[in-house]
Amino acid sequence: MRKTISKYEMLGPRDRIMVAVSGGKDSVTLLHILAKIEKAFPDVVLCAGTVDEGIRDYRDEALKIAEENCRKLGVEHRVTSFKELFGYELDEIVELARNKGLSGLTPCSYCGVLRRKALNSLAREAGVDKLVVAHSLDDETQTMLLNIVHGDPLRLARSKPVLDVIHPKLVQRVKPLCMVPEKEVVLYAYLKGIEFQSITCPYAQTALRNDIRTMLNRMEHKHAGTLFTVFHSIEKIRPALEAYAKEVELKDCRACGEPTVGDLCRSCQMLEQLGIL
Ligand code: SF4
Ligand code: ZN
């Protein structure tokens, strides 16, 4: 991971950093590793941020685990929730979508868009320079294939190990685990006795990502190195995609004021569709 951080110049010796900690294995392990590295850099300020989406029988436990790990490491922990920011928990949003017959979006579609916005707000309020997310090699390759399956290959140009700073309201995201396979993260966590949440989200089965994960895991099992090959192939074609992709001009969302390409940002579009904007 240190090599990835220096290869992409992800973090600097005086950065203020927020680690997005869900309570799952990747994010908790990443927090432990960064807390260890941070000791050698006294000017770095490290904190953690968690978003409570409001998922019954799942997120409460994860939140406790995230809190407990932050306490042990002496890292400041900030928490926000969908309820606080949007007025509704994810469970309520899923129920509303079902009642309205909105079958086009899965719970993960709502969750992903709203959490992204929530994390950015949390990081911005904390005044950090970098928002560190725990996307492993597995997550990154799944996202790459998902972009293709969704018919949006130009997103590959934007979704990279260090995201470009495209607006002052958007905190720069970096992904130090992007070249670390998930099984190595788990192995490290077990060896170090790191406590993380092991149950999976009740909505995970509904996501297309789940099918992509299964396919990639089968490929990796049969043809070791598949994940790295996919990752490096996209790295190779990304400069061409970046040159092809038009620069987007961001304006303020008319409802929430966050940066967006259209009139309404994606999360406000979703809330409007649900009748709760
Ligand atoms: Fe959200 Fe889907 Fe992840 Fe559950 S599996 S936390 S609904 S993105
Ligand atoms: Zn908005």
Side-chain angles (χ1 to χ4, degrees):
M1 193 181 93
R2 279 174 186 258
K3 271 190 188 163
T4 311
I5 292 175
S6 64
K7 177 180 174 188
Y8 293 101
E9 298 177 353
M10 284 184 179
L11 302 171
R14 270 171 287 281
D15 274 347
R16 286 161 300 167
I17 301 165
M18 174 178 277
V19 185
V21 179
S22 65
K25 57 188 178 323
D26 297 343
S27 62
V28 173
T29 305
L30 176 62
L31 180 69
H32 277 258
I33 297 172
L34 286 178
K36 194 172 166 189
I37 296 176
E38 185 220 2
K39 291 200 172 79
F41 298 94
D43 292 332
V44 165
V45 178
L46 184 67
C47 67
T50 302
V51 177
D52 177 1
E53 301 93 345
I55 304 171
R56 214 172 11 252
D57 299 331
Y58 174 67
R59 190 45 88 207
D60 285 354
E61 188 198 40
L63 204 60
K64 276 195 203 120
I65 291 170
E67 266 163 17
E68 183 58 16
N69 277 284
C70 290
R71 195 190 54 74
K72 274 187 201 157
L73 294 167
V75 172
E76 184 201 353
H77 187 211
R78 291 176 176 244
V79 181
T80 190
S81 67
F82 281 10
K83 188 83 176 175
E84 188 184 325
L85 293 173
F86 310 114
Y88 290 81
E89 298 188 331
L90 184 66
D91 286 338
E92 294 171 314
I93 289 173
V94 171
E95 186 70 24
L96 267 173
R98 199 173 293 141
N99 292 343
K100 281 188 166 273
L102 299 171
S103 55
L105 294 175
T106 62
C108 294
S109 312
Y110 292 105
C111 186
V113 169
L114 298 178
R115 189 177 44 210
R116 194 178 175 81
K117 184 174 184 174
L119 270 176
N120 188 66
S121 305
L122 203 56
R124 197 172 58 210
E125 274 167 24
V128 298
D129 307 298
K130 307 270 168 68
L131 175 59
V132 182
V133 291
H135 295 182
S136 65
L137 176 68
D138 301 53
D139 298 321
E140 282 299 284
T141 48
Q142 288 157 20
T143 303
M144 287 164 171
L145 292 196
L146 268 171
N147 287 332
I148 293 169
V149 173
H150 279 144
D152 196 2
L154 292 181
R155 279 184 81 100
L156 293 168
R158 299 195 293 274
S159 175
K160 44 192 180 179
V162 176
L163 268 64
D164 293 333
V165 182
I166 53 170
H167 192 282
K169 282 186 178 173
L170 298 175
V171 180
Q172 187 173 37
R173 286 178 181 236
V174 300
K175 308 171 188 173
L177 292 180
C178 66
M179 288 169 69
V180 182
E182 201 173 281
K183 55 187 175 196
E184 288 185 18
V185 178
V186 179
L187 183 64
Y188 182 91
Y190 277 122
L191 289 175
K192 297 286 179 187
I194 295 171
E195 195 201 347
F196 58 84
Q197 190 183 37
S198 49
I199 57 166
T200 48
C201 173
Y203 297 122
Q205 297 302 322
T206 61
L208 177 57
R209 178 181 287 272
N210 210 43
D211 299 326
I212 303 256
R213 178 188 295 118
T214 306
M215 180 190 79
L216 279 170
N217 285 351
R218 268 200 210 121
M219 297 267 298
E220 180 68 28
H221 186 68
K222 260 183 115 173
H223 312 281
T226 296
L227 298 183
F228 276 111
T229 305
V230 172
F231 182 87
H232 289 305
S233 297
I234 300 296
E235 287 280 280
K236 278 184 197 156
I237 61 168
R238 187 174 288 116
L241 287 169
E242 282 180 303
Y244 181 73
K246 290 192 198 95
E247 271 202 19
V248 287
E249 205 182 308
L250 297 176
K251 43 191 175 185
D252 293 349
C253 168
R254 74 170 149 81
C256 70
E258 293 295 312
T260 176
V261 280
D263 183 37
L264 271 183
C265 71
R266 186 74 189 110
S267 53
C268 288
Q269 278 176 26
M270 286 176 161
L271 300 179
E272 189 179 57
Q273 206 184 21
L274 291 164
I276 54 173
L277 183 64

